[in-house]
Amino acid sequence: MELMSKSLNKIIRWGIIGCGSVSHRFMQGLQEIPDAQMAATWSRSPESVKSFVDKYGGKTCSNIDELLASDIDAIYIATLPDSHAFYSIAALKAGKHVLCEKPASINLINLEEVLKVAKEQNLLFMEGMKPPFYPLYRKIKEHLLTDPIGEIGYLRAGSSVTDIKEGHPSLSHELAGGSIMAIGIYEAFLAVDWLGDTKQVQAMGRLGSTAVDMFSIFQTEHEGGYGQFYTGFDLHGKGDALICGTLGNITIHKNWWNPALATIDYRDGRIVELDIPFAAGGFNYEIEHFCQLINNNILESPVINHDMSRQMIAMLDKVRAHVGLRFNGE
């Protein structure tokens, strides 16, 4: 994962689309990266742009065209899933590298359109998926190289939260909300990362009053084994993950997608505890990786590569089909 720069790193000037809570967490991380600088911001809410720029600096843009014409190298897209593909394509066509929040699109068809433009424009596109860049997650992978848990064949993870307030965008069908899109994308990453290519998916779930899923469960078969997952907005779930091998298992304690604590339980009775806190909210590790890719002229992340993004959204497409959740235009 470590990348060595060919020369002194240039400062990557960032533009941001969307000024919601995730953008503020992104800025908490970006401010920790010497090779990154906030340059310009646009949102559909002028008030939120002004407040954002007052806090973090950079230029206030009155429309998307002004942002894309700005002196920036990369765009971070922090809007809701319904607009991810649209803004990604616009930014790529404007000559900007793109880091897009997950899920990168509402379905595989739209993702393929984004990846086609990225290839044509010879630009870096990466789906924003934080967990693999955290020190704890990387330490687990490093530890297993010398002290493995054997052949991994089963994975279980899930999260369900009950603090989503009425009117929240995650409850909006028009904005491609629902727990599958908001939470399930993390679980899809975990499955593909540990178990490989997906062979089949089974799922069930229930829709709420706003026509998005309020609770869903799905199980998957992969080249390397099986996964079981749950997502939800109306039950209080645990938020941990279990990875099982022939010689032991790993528990990544809650919240596993912001990992700081893990327990490795070996068949021979040994217990290994890994306690590695993260800094600056966690976005800093992902941003640093993205900036290194640009500085090394690498157009596809070796960690969150395009095929992984395809696998993740294809899995969610199948889960939604089972649950009966379709979005506008599908």
Side-chain angles (χ1 to χ4, degrees):
M1 188 187 302
E2 300 295 340
L3 301 171
M4 297 298 295
S5 297
K6 298 175 182 177
S7 59
L8 291 176
N9 287 348
K10 74 173 253 188
I11 301 298
I12 305 302
R13 292 172 55 81
W14 285 83
I16 293 182
I17 298 177
C19 296
S21 60
V22 68
S23 292
H24 289 272
R25 297 198 301 272
F26 179 84
M27 282 304 305
Q28 183 183 359
L30 186 140
Q31 291 173 323
E32 299 296 313
I33 308 301
D35 299 334
Q37 181 182 85
M38 172 65 183
T41 304
W42 173 79
S43 168
R44 286 176 287 193
S45 168
E47 296 80 9
S48 68
V49 175
K50 183 181 184 307
S51 174
F52 195 86
V53 170
D54 286 347
K55 184 173 184 178
Y56 302 113
K59 181 177 73 169
T60 299
C61 296
S62 59
N63 55 61
I64 183 68
D65 293 332
E66 182 182 356
L67 175 71
L68 297 180
S70 301
D71 180 20
I72 53 178
D73 305 291
I75 293 281
Y76 172 60
I77 298 172
T79 57
L80 298 163
D82 68 306
S83 60
H84 284 176
F86 175 82
Y87 289 132
S88 292
I89 289 173
L92 290 164
K93 287 185 174 181
K96 314 301 181 184
H97 302 289
V98 172
L99 175 62
C100 180
E101 261 308 311
K102 81 307 168 196
S105 66
I106 63 168
N107 55 40
L108 180 59
I109 292 174
N110 285 1
L111 177 62
E112 292 290 8
E113 294 172 353
V114 173
L115 296 180
K116 180 175 181 288
V117 175
K119 183 176 181 180
E120 291 172 349
Q121 297 294 111
N122 202 35
L123 290 166
L124 170 63
F125 174 86
M126 189 179 100
E127 183 169 8
M129 179 60 67
K130 296 184 299 176
F133 303 103
Y134 275 65
L136 184 280
Y137 198 92
R138 296 172 64 181
K139 182 61 178 180
I140 292 173
K141 292 290 186 83
E142 178 186 335
H143 179 89
L144 295 183
L145 293 176
T146 56
D147 196 2
I149 61 169
E151 183 177 349
I152 295 170
Y154 174 75
L155 192 152
R156 187 266 302 148
S159 178
S160 182
V161 296
T162 57
D163 59 353
I164 302 294
K165 297 180 180 178
E166 184 177 351
H168 191 279
S170 289
L171 298 178
S172 169
H173 182 272
E174 182 181 358
L175 300 176
S179 70
I180 293 169
M181 298 295 278
I183 299 171
I185 187 67
Y186 284 114
E187 296 160 3
F189 157 75
L190 201 67
V192 174
D193 194 42
W194 289 92
L195 299 174
D197 291 353
T198 307
K199 296 174 67 175
Q200 63 172 321
V201 176
Q202 298 174 332
M204 63 180 70
R206 49 183 163 77
L207 305 184
S209 60
T210 62
V212 300
D213 69 297
M214 296 301 291
F215 195 85
S216 298
I217 60 174
F218 55 103
Q219 56 188 16
T220 57
E221 180 184 7
H222 301 262
E223 295 294 338
Y226 301 92
Q228 292 183 311
F229 310 96
Y230 70 90
T231 70
F233 286 155
D234 58 6
L235 295 173
H236 182 59
K238 191 172 182 181
D240 65 348
L242 175 68
I243 302 163
C244 297
T246 54
L247 300 177
N249 63 72
I250 305 165
T251 298
I252 307 178
H253 300 280
K254 67 173 187 179
N255 291 321
W256 80 259
W257 54 91
N258 291 323
L261 180 65
T263 301
I264 307 178
D265 186 350
Y266 287 94
R267 191 178 66 185
D268 62 13
R270 289 180 300 119
I271 302 291
V272 175
E273 299 282 359
L274 299 176
D275 185 355
I276 308 177
F278 57 88
F283 269 99
N284 42 310
Y285 310 112
E286 175 185 298
I287 297 168
E288 182 179 32
H289 174 77
F290 193 87
C291 290
Q292 288 177 341
L293 293 175
I294 295 175
N295 272 309
N296 286 277
N297 196 31
I298 298 173
L299 303 183
E300 183 174 351
S301 169
V303 181
I304 303 296
N305 59 48
H306 294 169
D307 187 59
M308 175 172 279
S309 290
R310 289 185 178 100
Q311 290 265 351
M312 291 190 295
I313 198 61
M315 186 185 301
L316 297 195
D317 285 352
K318 292 175 183 177
V319 173
R320 288 196 296 110
H322 282 288
V323 172
L325 175 58
R326 294 172 61 90
F327 295 125
N328 297 336
E330 291 188 309

